[in-house]
Amino acid sequence: MDTIILIGYMAGTLTTVSFLPQVIRSWKTKSTHDISFAMLALFGLGMLLWAIYGFWIESLPIILANVITFGLIIVLLAMKVRYK
Amino acid sequence: MDTIILIGYMAGTLTTVSFLPQVIRSWKTKSTHDISFAMLALFGLGMLLWAIYGFWIESLPIILANVITFGLIIVLLAMKVRYK
């Protein structure tokens, strides 16, 4: 595998995995007060566009990372609405 | 400008701009309790790798978006440490 493809996958893994501790923390504390709703909404929309960009330039790391991250952002948005 | 380059810039603008309301909220409330430190640290490291990936594949939207977002994540990390 090319070095740069590996770096792309590492980057995608890190930015995707990074939202897991946030989901776990919010789930445990049932508190999302300090998290900005606008941040989650804008970031989620951005993830969708990055995924489209990834499909277009045929970059699998970009596609995978953004589709999975989008899912985690949806979970966080749901908790933000549920826990206030 | 190609449509896909435009989508890349829109995606980059959204995911970058999304951290601004978070920085503003944390600045105003002086509270970052609900934000996961691990999320910020992993995400920041991921941004660095994405920037390297962007340089490598010569994608200006990826470079710009990730360098600026990295800066905002550093600000949030500093507030997370400062405000606890």
Side-chain angles (χ1 to χ4, degrees), chain A residues 22 25 31 33-34 36 59, chain B residues 22 25 31 33-34 36 53:
Chain A
Q22 183 61 66
R25 185 185 184 95
S31 172
H33 182 261
D34 295 336
S36 162
S59 165
Chain B
Q22 184 61 65
R25 184 185 185 95
S31 172
H33 182 261
D34 295 336
S36 160
Y53 183 79

Side-chain angles (χ1 to χ4, degrees), chain A residues 21-80:
Chain A
Q22 183 61 66
V23 167
I24 292 166
R25 185 185 184 95
S26 299
W27 178 261
K28 276 187 185 162
T29 62
K30 311 286 184 216
S31 172
T32 55
H33 182 261
D34 295 336
I35 300 172
S36 162
F37 182 88
M39 186 267 271
L40 293 175
L42 293 172
F43 197 80
L45 191 56
M47 285 297 101
L48 265 187
L49 291 185
W50 273 130
I52 292 168
Y53 183 80
F55 274 110
W56 206 306
I57 69 171
E58 297 179 353
S59 165
L60 196 56
I62 295 180
I63 296 167
L64 282 179
N66 289 293
V67 166
I68 296 171
T69 309
F70 179 74
L72 290 171
I73 294 292
I74 293 294
V75 172
L76 282 173
L77 266 174
M79 288 200 282
K80 177 68 184 173

